[in-house]
Amino acid sequence: MSRMLSIHRVGPDWAARDVTGANYGQSPDLFETMEAAERLARRNGAKVVLSREAQNHLLSQPSLKPKR
């Protein structure tokens, strides 16, 4: 595995992909995929980056406002 995992859309799901094209942590939930990628990255000393599509998806999410 390489030192970088990038989060990309794979059909209807999100997956962390290394430079070889292998997918890891595939899920329809972007946050689950990010958590799986972070766990894998910690074990292997890799870095997780988001694709432009993943970044745009996160920016389009409504802000989570604290409940009073």
Side-chain angles (χ1 to χ4, degrees):
M1 181 189 308
S2 78
R3 297 284 180 176
M4 185 173 295
L5 295 169
S6 57
I7 308 291
H8 290 274
R9 178 76 76 177
V10 178
D13 295 337
W14 296 97
R17 181 169 48 198
D18 66 12
V19 295
T20 67
N23 291 326
Y24 304 93
Q26 192 164 333
S27 170
D29 184 344
L30 177 58
F31 294 105
E32 286 179 6
T33 303
M34 290 169 56
E35 288 175 12
E38 288 292 337
R39 284 192 304 271
L40 187 59
R42 279 193 298 272
R43 284 187 296 200
N44 297 310
K47 179 181 175 183
V48 176
V49 296
L50 299 176
S51 67
R52 182 175 303 258
E53 183 178 12
Q55 290 176 12
N56 290 340
H57 181 76
L58 284 177
L59 291 173
S60 71
Q61 299 301 305
S63 298
L64 297 176
K65 296 180 181 177
K67 294 182 180 182
R68 293 184 175 186

